[in-house]
Amino acid sequence: MLESVHSFFSVSLVNHHKFVDTQRKLGLQPSERVQLSNTRACQLRSLNAVLDNFPGIIECLSTINTPMAVGLKAKLALLSVTACLHRYLQKETIDLSQTVTYKDAVIDSLKEKCSDATAADLHTRTKALCEANQIAVPEPSSGQRRKTKQMDGFVV
C-alpha cells in the first residue's frame, strides 16, 4: 500500500503537483514520500512520511476522481485507524495499560467498520459509482446459494 501511494504521486507529474499544492493549502511542511525498501528502517521512514502527510494525502486523493485514487483512499482509511497506536508503540517509553487501551480502541474501530451498516453503505456508494460510469452492476440473487456439484460422490 505504501508503495502504491508513493507510485501514485511520483509517476504522474499532475498528481505530484496536486499533492504539493494540497500540502501548501493545508499549511503542511512540504515533504516527499519515501520510496519503500526491504530494510526496516526505510519501511519505517516510509510509513512515518505517510502518517506525517496523511491529511494532505487524503485531501489530495479526494480531489482526484480516478479508481486508483478512490481505492488508495479506502485503504488509507484503515491506516488512519491504527496510526495512533503505531505512533505510541514507537515511543521510547510506553505504559502497558495505555497500550492495551489503544489496542482495544483500534479493535473496536475495526469491528465497527465490519458491520452490516458499513457494508450496506459501501454497496450503495459502489453501485452509484458504477452507474455513474455506465458499468453494469449484477444484482445478488435472493435465493439460497447453490451447492457446487464438483465434489458430489466424494468424501472429503
Side-chain angles (χ1 to χ4, degrees), residues 25-126:
K25 183 176 86 174
L26 294 175
L28 298 173
Q29 184 70 18
S31 65
E32 299 294 323
R33 285 101 21 247
V34 179
Q35 188 168 6
L36 198 57
S37 174
N38 289 335
T39 64
R40 286 186 190 160
C42 287
Q43 290 173 353
L44 181 62
R45 281 191 12 229
S46 181
L47 182 60
N48 284 334
V50 169
L51 292 174
D52 291 341
N53 291 294
F54 196 76
I57 292 171
I58 294 295
E59 177 74 23
C60 188
L61 289 173
S62 296
T63 63
I64 302 171
N65 194 19
T66 64
M68 183 68 154
V70 171
L72 282 174
K73 186 177 171 192
K75 287 181 181 180
L76 287 172
L78 289 178
L79 182 62
S80 69
V81 171
T82 61
C84 187
L85 177 62
H86 172 77
R87 287 203 175 154
Y88 185 76
L89 291 174
Q90 296 302 316
K91 291 183 176 181
E92 288 185 25
T93 59
I94 58 175
D95 177 22
L96 183 59
S97 64
Q98 188 65 35
T99 304
V100 171
T101 302
Y102 279 139
K103 182 224 22 136
D104 290 340
V106 167
I107 289 172
D108 290 343
S109 295
L110 292 175
K111 282 182 180 177
E112 184 179 302
K113 290 191 180 295
C114 291
S115 69
D116 288 338
T118 304
D121 178 53
L122 179 61
H123 180 263
T124 303
R125 290 185 0 220
T126 303

Side-chain angles (χ1 to χ4, degrees), residues 3 7 10 12 22 25 28 61 84 93 98 100 132 141 144 155:
E3 186 67 33
S7 296
S10 61
S12 168
T22 302
K25 183 176 86 174
L28 298 173
L61 289 173
C84 187
T93 59
Q98 188 65 35
V100 171
S141 61
Q144 284 187 335
V155 177

Side-chain angles (χ1 to χ4, degrees), residues 135-151:
I135 299 171
V137 181
E139 289 297 323
S141 61
S142 59
Q144 284 187 335
R145 248 180 126 174
R146 294 184 186 167
K147 185 177 178 182
T148 59
K149 296 184 180 185
Q150 293 175 346
M151 299 299 286

